[in-house]
Amino acid sequence: MLEVRNLQKNYPNFSVFVDFKLKKGEFFSLLGPSGCGKTTTLRLIAGLEKPDSGKILLSGEDITNLPPQKRKFGLVFQNYALFPHLSVSENILYGLSKESNEMKKERLEEMLELFKLTELKDRSIRRLSGGEQQRVALARSLATKPRLLLLDEPFAALDPSLRQSLREELKTLQDKLDLTIVFVTHNQEEALSLSDRVALMDKGRIVQVATPFEIYTKPKSDYAASFFGQVNFLELEVQDKKLKWGGTLIDIDLNEGIYRFAVRPEHLIEGKGVRGRIIRGSYLGFAVEYIVATSQGELRYLELNPHSVKCSGTEIELSLLQAIPVGKKS
Ligand code: ATP
């Protein structure tokens, strides 16, 4: 549906180079730390920035030089960009000035209902909460039935519980209206929970594109592994398709050699393997996160559904559920 082909934008101290394709109805996230080029990529797609080279195709049509308003994309930014002196309805109607009165009325009612804004329709934007303003921003961008919805950190200014409920609403809406969405975020949990596919960015480049499950369980680099939560990096030996883990051998489909592995804290479990001594434990409610001193160095271990918190100095043995190879040493 959307094809971003070798798109490049050069600033004096930074350049963005991206290449990816989106299917109709797909929720695609651009994820990465601050300053990695997510917003620039979105602005290029929207037509708000001109690329130095490359192409943007929409259903096969070259739109690289099409002005933003002719692309018919919906755009929502972190700061909503609503008109504060206008009412909810006037904001929603803003993009529909060329439509007939009948069409305007129909779309307005549809959006007010969809976003549960009917009771607030005459209220001025100044008198709305952050969550309500965000709903109006989404309603305004969808009123025009955009071909593509571009969202730049739309929930960043909201508190966590509101963010969670708006995320769920957005996902429901996407399924219902079969929306194609490019979503910019630096929040890994948001990207994992919402996306069909995630494009992880670093220094202006996409380093991995995968489904949330795949990018979490099969990160291709140290960077990708450590972007999604805590991780232990270990060098371990593989011989005869077996991984040596303390006194145990684990089946693994790798050739002989020493590999660098990423091991997530929840992929360690008490059982036969590597012995260690607890340095400290932090109680998180659903789990306890321990730092354990072992012959493999200090390991982060997450005990899920804990019955108690073990004291510092307690001896434990950790078995390995899963190790993700991220490089070969020899
Ligand atoms: P954030 O999450 O903080 O918004 P981001 O990943 O969206 O970051 P961008 O806003 O795309 O990153 O910026 C990427 C880099 O490009 C930054 O170093 C920024 O300073 C630079 N940059 C962006 N716009 C311009 C511009 N108009 N002129 C020069 N440099 C720019």
Side-chain angles (χ1 to χ4, degrees):
M1 192 249 185
L2 180 79
E3 188 175 346
V4 173
R5 202 184 280 171
N6 297 327
L7 204 64
Q8 182 143 8
K9 176 79 189 169
N10 301 314
Y11 292 127
N13 298 311
F14 193 81
S15 76
V16 170
F17 178 86
V18 284
D19 185 276
F20 57 88
K21 279 185 197 171
L22 238 81
K23 289 191 240 42
K24 184 163 179 350
E26 193 171 20
F27 196 120
F28 188 83
S29 291
L30 296 169
L31 173 72
S34 181
C36 73
K38 308 178 295 289
T39 296
T40 304
T41 305
L42 204 76
R43 290 176 60 83
L44 285 165
I45 300 172
L48 300 169
E49 296 286 345
K50 227 176 131 37
D52 292 299
S53 58
K55 278 190 172 151
I56 304 171
L57 306 172
L58 188 73
S59 308
E61 179 200 348
D62 188 343
I63 58 158
T64 319
N65 297 312
L66 204 64
Q69 63 279 14
K70 293 212 167 139
R71 297 190 185 199
K72 300 206 173 80
F73 293 168
L75 263 166
V76 179
F77 293 104
Q78 183 181 333
N79 59 6
Y80 321 135
L82 294 167
F83 300 109
H85 56 287
L86 299 182
S87 70
V88 167
S89 300
E90 287 163 336
N91 267 277
I92 295 174
L93 287 169
Y94 183 76
L96 297 170
S97 54
K98 291 201 188 98
E99 308 288 344
S100 66
N101 283 345
E102 202 176 320
M103 175 64 85
K104 278 188 201 164
K105 191 164 174 283
E106 191 182 304
R107 287 282 171 79
L108 177 64
E109 272 169 24
E110 192 187 347
M111 289 302 127
L112 288 172
E113 194 181 330
L114 198 60
F115 287 92
K116 302 180 197 108
L117 289 165
T118 307
E119 282 180 16
L120 301 173
K121 68 182 165 57
D122 298 321
R123 206 182 270 186
S124 111
I125 296 298
R126 282 200 195 89
R127 291 175 46 234
L128 295 182
S129 71
E132 289 160 350
Q133 289 189 34
Q134 190 53 282
R135 275 207 193 89
V136 179
L138 281 168
R140 186 180 62 176
S141 70
L142 287 179
T144 56
K145 305 256 166 177
R147 299 194 277 183
L148 183 68
L149 187 59
L150 306 174
L151 305 175
D152 191 350
E153 305 262 9
F155 309 135
L158 306 173
D159 68 62
S161 66
L162 195 55
R163 200 183 298 184
Q164 176 69 25
S165 64
L166 273 173
R167 263 187 220 163
E168 284 164 15
E169 279 178 33
L170 177 64
K171 199 63 194 156
T172 311
L173 204 69
Q174 191 227 350
D175 290 344
K176 198 162 152 185
L177 305 180
D178 196 27
L179 299 171
T180 312
I181 299 178
V182 183
F183 184 87
V184 159
T185 181
H186 64 268
N187 182 316
Q188 33 104 356
E189 193 187 304
E190 203 156 84
L192 290 180
S193 63
L194 285 172
S195 316
D196 294 310
R197 283 187 307 150
V198 178
L200 181 64
M201 293 187 71
D202 183 26
K203 302 188 190 84
R205 305 286 185 274
I206 292 176
V207 293
Q208 189 170 356
V209 182
T211 63
F213 186 78
E214 208 178 320
I215 206 158
Y216 189 82
T217 55
K218 290 184 186 146
K220 282 193 182 151
S221 58
D222 284 17
Y223 174 77
S226 45
F227 199 82
F228 296 93
Q230 302 285 357
V231 71
N232 300 294
F233 287 107
L234 301 169
E235 282 177 18
L236 300 170
E237 194 180 351
V238 175
Q239 259 185 358
D240 301 328
K241 303 269 179 209
K242 304 252 186 241
L243 175 69
K244 208 161 166 275
W245 176 250
T248 60
L249 293 170
I250 301 164
D251 290 337
I252 195 157
D253 192 18
L254 288 173
N255 294 329
E256 202 152 298
I258 296 180
Y259 292 80
R260 186 169 165 76
F261 287 93
V263 174
R264 301 222 180 264
E266 68 271 26
H267 291 154
L268 293 168
I269 190 169
E270 275 187 69
K272 286 243 159 303
V274 166
R275 288 172 194 280
R277 191 183 292 268
I278 289 172
I279 299 177
R280 65 177 175 277
S282 314
Y283 184 60
L284 307 174
F286 72 101
V288 184
E289 187 179 54
Y290 293 104
I291 305 294
V292 185
T294 72
S295 56
Q296 301 289 341
E298 282 186 10
L299 297 181
R300 223 172 254 275
Y301 152 56
L302 198 71
E303 185 189 4
L304 299 167
N305 299 320
H307 298 298
S308 61
V309 181
K310 295 176 187 62
C311 306
S312 305
T314 307
E315 297 207 348
I316 61 169
E317 196 169 343
L318 294 173
S319 119
L320 183 63
L321 293 176
Q322 196 180 332
I324 305 156
V326 284
K328 193 169 183 200
K329 299 303 275 186
S330 61

